[in-house]
Structure formats: C-alpha cells, structure tokens
Amino acid sequence: VVRLEESGGGMVQPGGSLRLSCAASGFSFSAYWMYWVRQAPGKGLERVSSIKFDGLNLDYADSVKGRFTISRDNSKSTVYLQMNSLKSDDTAVYYCVRATSPWLRDYDVPLSRAYWGQGTQVTVSS
C-alpha cells in the first residue's frame, strides 16, 4: 500500500519560510518521480514542483520559481519542499504525490488519490 505522509505545514507571515516533508513507504521510492501539488481555497489543482527519481531533474510552476526548492533523499524515502519568501497567494493545502508509473513523469497531475498524501495546510497571513 502506498503511503505518503506530509508534515511541516502551518501558519507563517508573508515573507516567511516553511519546509514541507513527505515520508513515503510501500513502494520503491527511488524509482518514481515525485510531485508537490497544491489546492488553494476555491481554486483548482496546481502542480507546484516535480523531481525526477534520481533527483537530477527539477521543475517548478512559474508562480513559485525562484522561491521554492524541491529535493529528495532516497536513502530516507523522503521528498522535501523548501518554501521561502512566502506570499498570501501560497495559502493552500499542499499534497505530496507519487507518479503513476516507475521511471516516467506524468503529463499532468495523477488523478488517482491512491498516490496522494493526506495534505498539509499552509497559511500565509499577517
């Protein structure tokens, strides 16, 4: 059974930082692309960042480029999202998501919730 457990969310003032972690189990972590996906109140899903199974290919949504950094530690089966210079627009539930198939990057956000964590709330407010 795929398990993804996010942590590190909370409330922070604009300009502040948070680091999200996602501990994975139940599959061969080092064989899968991983994503961070967010959903703001009343808005759709946005894939914030992706990281290749070997950590050597990263990408970011334009909305977070230069402020967020994704990383992974395959020895710990954990993926991270360092978020700096946070804005009110970053307020959302953040989900850790596994790719659908090993070695392959999904074209869009995987729809099967079997590959999603439960989410962690990030609130940016003064």
Side-chain angles (χ1 to χ4, degrees):
V1 175
V2 173
R3 292 198 61 167
L4 298 166
E5 187 169 354
E6 301 97 337
S7 61
M11 180 175 287
V12 64
Q13 292 186 340
S17 298
L18 284 173
R19 188 193 196 205
L20 305 184
S21 299
C22 171
S25 61
F27 63 98
S28 297
F29 181 77
S30 60
Y32 287 84
W33 282 76
M34 296 295 297
Y35 317 115
W36 285 99
V37 175
R38 70 184 181 185
Q39 186 163 29
K43 296 188 177 180
L45 297 172
E46 179 184 23
R47 186 161 65 185
V48 171
S49 187
S50 305
I51 185 166
K52 192 178 176 184
F53 46 85
D54 58 6
L56 296 181
N57 189 319
L58 319 173
D59 65 66
Y60 301 93
D62 288 343
S63 57
V64 306
K65 207 168 288 185
R67 300 186 298 119
F68 289 12
T69 303
I70 191 171
S71 61
R72 66 191 293 161
D73 185 340
N74 284 350
S75 69
K76 296 181 179 179
S77 296
T78 302
V79 60
Y80 306 95
L81 186 68
Q82 177 67 44
M83 305 186 296
N84 297 330
S85 302
L86 283 161
K87 307 174 182 179
S88 57
D89 286 349
D90 296 318
T91 295
V93 178
Y94 285 72
Y95 298 93
C96 172
V97 182
R98 194 203 79 176
T100 304
S101 303
W103 317 118
L104 300 177
R105 184 181 187 273
D106 295 84
Y107 179 77
D108 206 337
V109 175
L111 295 179
S112 173
R113 290 288 172 141
Y115 308 139
W116 289 57
Q118 81 286 353
T120 186
Q121 176 70 46
V122 172
T123 302
V124 184
S125 175
S126 55

